[in-house]
Amino acid sequence: MKPFSPSLALPGARMAWLAGLGALASRMYVYLSGFLAVFLMAASISPARFGEYSVYQSVIEVALVLGTLGSSLLFSRNAASVPPGVTRGDVVRTLSIGLPLAMVLVTVILALQRLPVGDAPFVLVVATLAIFSFNSLRLSFSRGLGHAGLLNLEAGIRSTILVLGVGLCTALKFDLGVAHLLLINLFALVVVCVAIGLPGNGAAPPAGPHAIGLLSQATATVYSLLTFLLRKSDLLVVAYFMPLSYVGAFKLAFLLAEAPSQFVQAFLFTKTKAMLEADPRHFGDAQLGLARHSFLLGCGLFVGLGCVMAVAAPLLKLGEEARSIFLCMAPYFLLRTYTIHHEMVLSLKTSMGSLGRWALLEVALRFVSYAVVIVLFPGKPHYVFLLACVSDFVLYETRMRLVFGFFPLQRLLRMRSTA
């Protein structure tokens, strides 16, 4: 009798199994530590404080786009070119222009959110932003060289340090404030900054004057801001007109719902060099199989996270509300696990101008959807994800047909019928 062994005959399955275990394991660590950090904070501090901390985190994320001039994608694209397409001059110029702009943006957003400017949390946000911007550029450069390990792990390192810090303060019965949480997060970023210099992350950008044009960085900044509005601005939108307790529940649900697509993205980061070399108009079975298996992975993760939410909700002060928001978000983020493979190919293979135009259309549709939901369902802004699921699917399929000449869903179904 032949010994049992799992079949890996499906297109792309063996590649996903052999090359993806490390990335998936690292992302598992990232999200387990991230979930633990969020659950620990949600259980240890008041919903209002957790909501305020969530707002500061979202402000840092959007300001990061300006702090790096949206150049993370450019650094990845140009890292492996000959001669090198990224230099230390690019890092210095990007930060010297981007960080002052980012500080202005932080001030404006905090004022609009009716949060104080110039106090301890503001200073910590600015310091965090400076180190986070440098880390992002260096990790993007390493990604282009094929070193995505620390890129996939750095969020987990930060979450682990946050867990340790919050856990210690809770054990000592120390009354945690928002400034304390921001200080722990800043320390975590310093640890990541030190780790970037380790040999396993590849070489640093070579010395020399800047090689990336300012016009390219300006286009990348616009595209990255639009992408942020699509992927990360929802919390800031709802925080503007909803109570902080709802914001905390929204943050928890968003983190869980987004996790499957982030797992898939972490795996595909390790395929950046292969995507840069591939011709999207002539995808073979291996590339399409990789996309299909990535989607199946996302489906499996959603089932697991649904169980996590069902178990955790009764234990948290804002758990029941977070569970209802999670269920509403689930179809949209399940769609994201389907589209993420080809979206990454688009980002690496098409012009920044084209990326920006499509992102602008998506942003316009998203804000129209918010207007509709606010009018029809006041107090339920998370319903916007139901509309976004439909509009994003139509835009994605149309865009792939116009740019690369095929409908991804049609190809995946055809591959399944012939498998």
Side-chain angles (χ1 to χ4, degrees):
M1 180 181 293
K2 291 177 65 177
F4 171 78
S5 61
S7 173
L8 295 175
L10 292 174
R14 186 172 181 81
M15 183 195 313
W17 177 259
L18 295 177
L21 285 178
L24 294 177
S26 67
R27 209 62 191 176
M28 181 69 73
Y29 158 65
V30 166
Y31 273 94
L32 286 176
S33 59
F35 295 156
L36 182 57
V38 170
F39 291 151
L40 186 58
M41 285 188 292
S44 302
I45 63 177
S46 68
R49 282 187 180 181
F50 181 65
E52 183 180 350
Y53 173 75
S54 300
V55 171
Y56 279 118
Q57 285 295 96
S58 294
V59 170
I60 291 171
E61 289 179 0
V62 67
L64 180 67
V65 176
L66 280 186
T68 60
L69 294 182
S71 297
S72 295
L73 182 58
L74 290 176
F75 273 50
S76 294
R77 279 182 167 189
N78 298 333
S81 62
V82 180
V86 180
T87 67
R88 294 177 195 171
D90 289 305
V91 177
V92 172
R93 187 181 68 174
T94 298
L95 295 177
S96 63
I97 296 175
L99 288 178
L101 294 176
M103 288 178 60
V104 173
L105 181 63
V106 168
T107 303
V108 171
I109 294 177
L110 291 181
L112 290 175
Q113 295 289 344
R114 298 178 292 276
L115 290 173
V117 175
D119 60 351
F122 176 83
V123 174
L124 290 170
V125 165
V126 171
T128 298
L129 183 60
I131 299 175
F132 204 178
S133 298
F134 173 79
N135 290 356
S136 179
L137 293 176
R138 280 288 284 108
L139 290 173
S140 297
F141 179 80
S142 296
R143 174 193 167 192
L145 295 178
H147 302 280
L150 185 59
L151 176 63
N152 285 336
L153 283 172
E154 65 94 17
I157 295 172
R158 291 189 282 116
S159 295
T160 298
I161 294 175
L162 191 59
V163 166
L164 294 174
V166 173
L168 179 61
C169 291
T170 302
L172 296 175
K173 297 183 179 180
F174 180 78
D175 185 22
L176 275 169
V178 174
H180 303 116
L181 295 175
L182 290 171
L183 182 60
I184 296 171
N185 192 50
L186 174 60
F187 174 73
L189 282 166
V190 172
V191 172
V192 173
C193 185
V194 173
I196 286 174
L198 298 177
N201 298 308
H210 58 82
I212 300 176
L214 273 178
L215 181 59
S216 295
Q217 290 189 295
T219 306
T221 303
V222 173
Y223 166 68
S224 297
L225 283 171
L226 291 171
T227 302
F228 179 90
L229 289 174
L230 282 171
R231 309 294 182 221
K232 297 292 185 179
S233 69
D234 298 282
L235 187 138
L236 290 176
V237 172
V238 301
Y240 186 72
F241 61 91
M242 296 294 289
L244 287 175
S245 58
Y246 173 90
V247 175
F250 186 96
K251 172 72 173 180
L252 180 60
F254 190 95
L255 178 68
L256 285 169
E258 188 187 31
S261 61
Q262 292 293 317
F263 266 88
V264 173
Q265 186 179 56
F267 165 58
L268 294 176
F269 274 157
T270 65
K271 307 297 180 186
T272 297
K273 292 188 73 173
M275 289 181 183
L276 285 168
E277 296 167 358
D279 182 357
R281 295 181 179 274
H282 300 93
F283 272 168
D285 287 346
Q287 290 89 349
L288 291 173
L290 180 61
R292 180 165 173 254
H293 283 87
S294 297
F295 175 58
L296 293 176
L297 170 65
C299 292
L301 290 170
F302 251 109
V303 173
L305 288 172
C307 295
V308 170
M309 176 58 80
V311 172
L315 306 176
L316 303 175
K317 300 172 184 176
L318 40 72
E320 294 300 327
E321 187 172 20
R323 180 167 57 184
S324 65
I325 296 173
F326 172 84
L327 292 174
C328 192
M329 292 177 172
Y332 170 80
F333 283 104
L334 189 59
L335 173 69
R336 286 281 296 144
T337 68
Y338 160 67
T339 63
I340 191 69
H341 175 270
H342 290 334
E343 284 183 354
M344 289 180 68
V345 173
L346 281 166
S347 69
L348 292 169
K349 303 293 289 187
T350 56
S351 69
M352 297 303 301
S354 174
L355 293 174
R357 287 189 291 273
W358 282 99
L360 180 60
L361 178 58
E362 290 183 75
V363 169
L365 286 173
R366 179 65 58 83
F367 280 96
V368 169
S369 298
Y370 263 115
V372 171
V373 168
I374 290 171
V375 171
L376 297 180
F377 305 101
K380 302 288 185 181
H382 50 276
Y383 282 10
V384 74
F385 289 96
L386 297 176
L387 297 179
C389 182
V390 177
S391 62
D392 281 19
F393 173 76
V394 173
L395 281 179
Y396 165 73
E397 291 285 325
T398 303
R399 181 183 179 190
M400 290 297 296
R401 179 65 177 84
L402 292 175
V403 177
F404 293 142
F406 66 91
F407 292 109
L409 182 61
Q410 184 181 35
R411 280 199 175 186
L412 290 176
L413 293 176
R414 184 186 307 160
M415 185 183 70
R416 181 180 180 182
S417 65
T418 59

